Amino acid sequence: MSNTDNRWRTVDIVVAAVLGVAFGVVFWAWGLLYNGPADAIPLPARTLLYGIWLLPAVLGALVIRKPGAALFTETVAALVSVAFGTAWGWTLVLQGPLEGLGAELVFALFAYRVYRLPVVALAGGVAGLVAALYDVIYWYPGNSWASFGIPYLAITAASSVVIAGFGGWALTRALVNTGALDRFPAGRERAAV
């Protein structure tokens, strides 16, 4: 990929922002569920539902396929959810970008050239690990690592592999099949097949 291929076009910025805003609204609603009816599920088991919060990082990278896409999309989603009001408040201003960086790191390790399912699942899992590590350190510092921290990390990572990784992959494939992504590398893959 040449340097010009890494430049963001206006359409890249707009689409990444729209994805981020849409997921910010989803985050807000998901937070109501997570701290409402799902609150009946004790932690760390409740983190089986956590992967939804990492989906914009993976989806943004899959659609845009340029450096910074995971970080940008996840950050916008976090900021929008903060604007709507969440139980976690302003802590998401830091946590959102950290989660985006977790996914970004994986795509960077593959030089932003490999977007196959194993890499996408790994990106979701790493983003989940970053998120869980932040949670355990910031929100649950007094809990035992053996009985709480390690299971929290493992369950969150597994949820993120499935929901953000496999879910992001499936959502991208669905969007590609509609033709909505024809102006993006993911959409051009469909045309080539």
Side-chain angles (χ1 to χ4, degrees):
M1 205 180 262
S2 71
N3 286 340
T4 56
D5 291 336
N6 286 333
R7 286 191 187 158
W8 283 54
R9 305 169 298 166
T10 303
V11 69
D12 297 331
I13 296 166
V14 170
V15 169
V18 167
L19 288 172
V21 169
F23 273 99
V25 174
V26 169
F27 285 3
W28 169 78
W30 195 250
L32 296 175
L33 172 69
Y34 195 80
N35 287 321
D39 198 36
I41 304 168
L43 288 172
R46 189 176 346 138
T47 62
L48 283 168
L49 306 172
Y50 203 108
I52 192 75
W53 281 302
L54 294 310
L55 191 52
V58 173
L59 184 62
L62 280 170
V63 170
I64 306 301
R65 298 193 179 187
K66 293 183 181 170
L71 173 63
F72 180 83
T73 309
E74 188 71 30
T75 299
V76 170
L79 293 175
V80 168
S81 71
V82 168
F84 272 89
T86 72
W88 303 279
W90 287 96
T91 63
L92 298 181
V93 171
L94 175 60
Q95 189 169 4
L98 289 173
E99 294 166 354
L101 284 172
E104 197 75 46
L105 174 66
V106 174
F107 294 113
L109 286 172
F110 289 89
Y112 298 98
R113 292 176 187 233
V114 181
Y115 294 91
R116 288 189 216 96
L117 185 56
V119 172
V120 172
L122 180 62
V126 170
L129 280 175
V130 170
L133 191 58
Y134 179 92
D135 285 353
V136 170
I137 291 169
Y138 186 83
W139 294 107
Y140 310 111
N143 289 319
S144 161
W145 276 94
S147 64
F148 184 84
I150 302 293
Y152 192 102
L153 289 169
I155 296 168
T156 302
S159 168
S160 301
V161 165
V162 172
I163 298 173
F166 295 147
W169 175 267
L171 186 52
T172 303
R173 298 282 62 99
L175 289 169
V176 163
N177 289 336
T178 69
L181 299 181
D182 285 350
R183 296 192 64 193
F184 296 91
R188 289 191 290 274
E189 282 179 357
R190 175 183 64 99
V193 173

